[in-house]
Amino acid sequence: MESLGVLLLHPLDTYLEQELDRRCRLLRLWDAPLDRRGEFLRAHASSIRAVVTGGGSGGGGDAALIDALPRLEIIACYAVGFDRVDLTRCRERGLRVTNTPGVLTDDVADLAVGLAIAALRRIPHADRYVRAGLWKANNGHYGLTTQFSGKRVGIIGLGRIGLAIAKRVEGFGCPVSYYQRTRQQQAYPNYTYLPTVVQLAADSDVLVVACSLNEQSHGIVSREVIEALGPRGVLVNVGRGAHVDQPELVAALAEGRLGGAGLDVFEAEPDVPEALMALDNVVLAPHMGSGTRETRKAMSDLVLANLEAHALSKPLLTPVV
Amino acid sequence: MESLGVLLLYPVNAYLEQELDRRCRLYRFWESPREEFLRAHAGAVRAVVGNANYGADAALIDALPALEIVASFSVGIDRVDLAKCRERGIRVTNTPDVLTDDVADLAVGLAIAVLRRIPQADRYVRAGLWKSRGDYTLTTRFSGKRVGIIGLGRIGQAVARRVEAFDCPVNYHQRTEQKSVYPNYTYYPTVVELASNSDVLVVACPLNASTRHIVSREVMETLGPKGVLINVGRGPHVDEPEMVAALADGRLGGAGLDVFEDEPNVPEALLGMDNVVLVPHVGSGTYETRKAMADLVLGNLEAHVLSKPLLTPVV
């Protein structure tokens, strides 16, 4: 794919960038200063046939970008979430879109469980306590937390990631319930379906967001859901910040209406509400769900393989559109 | 058991203390100087209640002529002089089973926390570095890592069951192989061989003369620069100075530690390291489990007083 002009929107991964540079005709959007991006795009529009974008704060692929690239054929997302890509516009233009599902499932599920245990057992808080010399200063005292094993886990979205989380928490004796648009009784007889997110929250001790972000799931964790989860409930978000009503979440945590949270994603990354930083009952992570060397290499290879398949007019490996 | 004189060595748990006060004749060891207390009350003490860090050693046992039972608020009883108890015909109980899940949860929680750097990333966010420096460094996947367990007892098995759900192959070492019971787990006849075949090494055996410093310099060097040690056993299971040096040098990749040789003292060097997660002996530290442990201590004392079989005797 040497002649494939690829526009990389953000410096996502060194290996990916090196390979794109080696195997394609790579353009880096950030080479142009912010106020000269429009010029940059106009200058190179005729050669850009592919865009590579990330998820979270590295995400892009909106209508404005698409419209600025008349020769664009494919948008390859280095992420499983493609909520920043304007799919409607892509369909209108006949553009292909790919993402990186599967390869990051285990890592995101591991982090979800790790955050749940870290939140319930207060591992980061305890670590801070020891490092600050308080264990010694307080004569060996540390407060009690609450057991993780056996807690009722509610999962919003029983897709690849949701199922991987379910499988893991079953190892801790946690009963699993879930909500999604369609029930899957036969497939998962051990998991209890709840028809609304509020009911799921009411019946759960730990509520995990593991669904994709789209119009219906935007703000799916509302104030009502948060209150149903309650003063002893814990929210774990490894989906997208926009899944949750963030101001409500912050208020509920600060006021004790919600027991705790483990958050890997936020509404406007990398901004994290100041109020959360002061709380001991939350664990904060900088969108690192797929942030392992193993997975990022696999994601890079999947992006490259999709681009290559496209260049060779072969079936895309992981198309969204 | 109103007439049972119980000596509580330390304020280990508010509920336990309340119940002992209500149902027995409670003496609190920390309320007066040791010698003064013993002069005044030694003859009245028929039971001692301690925990992981405060046990009935030989000196204390010798000072209590009426002692009949030591009920430890812990599963590990390395601080109780068992030989002395046997000599004197003193019964000893501990609190197994009720804390198995919590300790196993913590072991797995620590393993994920170390490999995925959860506390470190939390610090990164709280310090505003996500904003000023950008994305956090890449870490390494937990799923599929080879987990080696020293001691496949209740806690070891509970750890094994949990990590299996993450597709982690399970290896173990203990005094005897258990092939027919655990066909899916691979036995290694020495700890060094176990370490050689593991990415995460978990200490889950009891502390006794043969397991002291079972995690030696050689074991840690074999575990290696990408290996992670998880200790939810006892501090003395590990050669602590060697561990600190190995972590500082990079000869050992990382560690998740719930226990230390001289709690609550933690080696200064560890406090500044980024490849470790340190927690203050919280393995069984949940409301649910501490209540169950307290009830088990009380249940054992009551059984003793009524001359019924003890619930969880060690001696």
Side-chain angles (χ1 to χ4, degrees):
Chain A
M1 42 177 175
E2 295 162 346
S3 62
L4 183 71
V6 178
L7 177 65
L8 184 53
L9 300 188
H10 287 266
L12 300 166
D13 181 85
T14 313
Y15 164 75
L16 174 61
E17 197 177 319
Q18 273 165 19
E19 289 297 290
L20 286 170
D21 204 13
R22 194 171 68 78
R23 297 163 64 177
C24 313
R25 300 204 56 196
L26 177 64
L27 288 162
R28 299 171 178 81
L29 183 60
W30 65 95
D31 275 349
L34 261 172
D35 56 343
R36 315 236 346 228
R37 297 267 161 103
E39 232 176 272
F40 179 91
L41 289 175
R42 272 190 297 278
H44 296 286
S46 59
S47 57
I48 294 172
R49 291 167 52 207
V51 159
V52 173
T53 179
S57 53
D62 59 7
L65 180 71
I66 293 167
D67 288 346
L69 303 171
R71 298 206 54 213
L72 186 60
E73 299 165 5
I74 180 170
I75 298 179
C77 299
Y78 176 78
V80 67
F82 42 84
D83 39 283
R84 299 278 188 102
V85 178
D86 191 326
L87 292 187
T88 309
R89 195 52 133 233
C90 290
R91 285 188 182 100
E92 281 169 8
R93 283 271 303 269
L95 304 184
R96 304 307 304 278
V97 178
T98 64
N99 65 343
T100 58
V103 294
L104 49 62
T105 298
D106 285 344
D107 275 350
V108 178
D110 289 353
L111 187 68
V113 177
L115 284 174
I117 302 176
L120 279 159
R121 297 294 294 273
R122 301 207 163 190
I123 295 178
H125 178 260
D127 178 277
R128 282 198 292 279
Y129 185 87
V130 172
R131 286 174 198 261
L134 295 172
W135 192 23
K136 205 179 160 169
N138 290 326
N139 279 320
H141 173 77
Y142 185 74
L144 298 181
T145 58
T146 185
Q147 185 164 80
F148 173 65
S149 276
K151 284 290 190 291
R152 299 166 302 166
V153 175
I155 303 175
I156 304 176
L158 211 58
R160 282 171 294 249
I161 293 172
L163 279 172
I165 293 168
K167 176 179 158 204
R168 283 155 176 71
V169 302
E170 280 189 294
F172 296 79
C174 296
V176 174
S177 308
Y178 68 102
Y179 164 82
Q180 57 182 31
R181 280 169 300 188
T182 54
R183 187 179 188 153
Q184 304 252 41
Q185 170 100 43
Q186 270 98 3
Y188 311 116
N190 290 344
Y191 306 157
T192 305
Y193 176 76
L194 276 312
T196 69
V197 186
V198 173
Q199 280 176 258
L200 181 67
D203 271 14
S204 302
D205 302 304
V206 180
L207 184 66
V208 186
V209 183
C211 57
S212 53
L213 181 66
N214 50 47
E215 265 167 38
Q216 294 96 345
S217 62
H218 198 280
I220 197 172
V221 180
S222 61
R223 177 180 177 136
E224 201 191 349
V225 168
I226 290 167
E227 293 200 337
L229 189 50
R232 289 206 285 263
V234 169
L235 176 71
V236 174
N237 193 359
V238 290
R240 284 286 180 268
H243 277 124
V244 177
D245 182 337
Q246 193 164 278
E248 279 299 334
L249 173 67
V250 176
L253 285 165
E255 292 163 26
R257 287 182 286 113
L258 178 63
L263 308 170
D264 187 40
V265 287
F266 304 85
E267 264 181 14
E269 297 167 12
D271 287 327
V272 173
E274 204 63 41
L276 286 182
M277 312 260 222
L279 295 174
D280 281 343
N281 58 342
V282 300
V283 178
L284 307 170
H287 201 155
M288 55 187 204
S290 67
T292 67
R293 293 182 289 275
E294 296 92 337
T295 288
R296 290 295 171 85
K297 171 136 192 324
M299 286 165 65
S300 297
D301 287 338
L302 195 42
V303 166
L304 294 161
N306 273 301
L307 290 175
E308 188 163 58
H310 174 72
L312 299 173
S313 302
K314 286 184 172 168
L316 299 179
L317 284 79
T318 48
V320 173
V321 168
Chain B
M1 42 178 174
E2 297 160 343
S3 62
L4 181 72
V6 179
L7 177 61
L8 182 59
L9 298 184
Y10 196 73
V12 297
N13 178 273
Y15 163 75
L16 176 61
E17 196 178 322
Q18 269 162 34
E19 289 297 291
L20 288 170
D21 204 12
R22 195 171 67 77
R23 296 163 62 177
C24 315
R25 287 218 59 198
L26 176 64
Y27 299 96
R28 295 174 175 81
F29 202 37
W30 63 94
E31 278 186 342
S32 48
R34 182 191 167 101
E35 289 316 313
E36 209 182 285
F37 172 87
L38 290 173
R39 261 197 305 277
H41 302 292
V45 174
R46 290 166 56 204
V48 162
V49 174
N51 72 348
N53 288 326
Y54 296 88
D57 59 13
L60 183 64
I61 293 169
D62 282 342
L64 301 171
L67 187 58
E68 298 165 9
I69 179 169
V70 176
S72 192
F73 183 73
S74 68
V75 67
I77 31 89
D78 42 282
R79 295 280 177 110
V80 178
D81 192 323
L82 296 181
K84 196 71 154 192
C85 289
R86 284 188 183 101
E87 268 174 47
R88 284 268 304 267
I90 295 169
R91 304 304 304 276
V92 179
T93 65
N94 64 344
T95 59
D97 292 327
V98 293
L99 47 65
T100 298
D101 284 343
D102 273 352
V103 178
D105 289 355
L106 186 68
V108 179
L110 283 174
I112 303 175
V114 176
L115 281 163
R116 298 296 296 274
R117 298 199 157 209
I118 295 178
Q120 299 92 321
D122 178 279
R123 275 202 291 280
Y124 187 82
V125 173
R126 286 174 198 259
L129 297 176
W130 192 16
K131 251 194 120 154
S132 59
R133 279 195 204 162
D135 281 345
Y136 194 64
T137 184
L138 296 184
T139 57
T140 184
R141 182 182 296 158
F142 173 65
S143 275
K145 285 288 189 292
R146 299 165 302 167
V147 175
I149 304 175
I150 304 175
L152 210 58
R154 283 171 293 249
I155 293 172
Q157 286 165 45
V159 172
R161 266 198 306 280
R162 283 154 175 74
V163 302
E164 280 190 294
F166 295 78
D167 289 330
C168 295
V170 174
N171 306 317
Y172 70 103
H173 166 76
Q174 58 184 26
R175 281 170 298 189
T176 53
E177 180 167 8
Q178 303 251 43
K179 198 202 274 281
S180 49
V181 190
Y182 309 115
N184 292 341
Y185 306 159
T186 307
Y187 176 75
Y188 287 94
T190 68
V191 186
V192 172
E193 280 168 85
L194 179 66
S196 178
N197 289 279
S198 304
D199 303 303
V200 179
L201 185 66
V202 182
V203 183
C205 57
L207 181 66
N208 52 46
S210 51
T211 60
R212 189 174 180 277
H213 283 197
I214 196 172
V215 180
S216 61
R217 175 182 176 137
E218 196 191 354
V219 167
M220 289 184 274
E221 283 184 348
T222 307
L223 190 52
K226 293 211 276 267
V228 169
L229 174 67
I230 301 295
N231 193 359
V232 291
R234 285 284 181 269
H237 275 125
V238 176
D239 183 336
E240 195 164 280
E242 282 294 343
M243 177 190 65
V244 175
L247 285 165
D249 289 346
R251 284 177 288 120
L252 175 61
L257 307 169
D258 186 37
V259 287
F260 303 84
E261 285 209 71
D262 179 34
E263 297 170 14
N265 294 304
V266 174
E268 200 70 33
L270 289 179
L271 301 181
M273 285 186 197
D274 217 37
N275 54 342
V276 300
V277 175
L278 311 166
V279 291
H281 204 153
V282 292
S284 66
T286 66
Y287 295 105
E288 296 92 336
T289 289
R290 290 291 170 84
K291 173 148 190 314
M293 285 165 67
D295 286 338
L296 196 44
V297 167
L298 295 160
N300 274 301
L301 290 176
E302 189 161 59
H304 174 72
V305 158
L306 298 173
S307 300
K308 288 185 171 167
L310 299 181
L311 302 174
T312 47
V314 175
V315 168

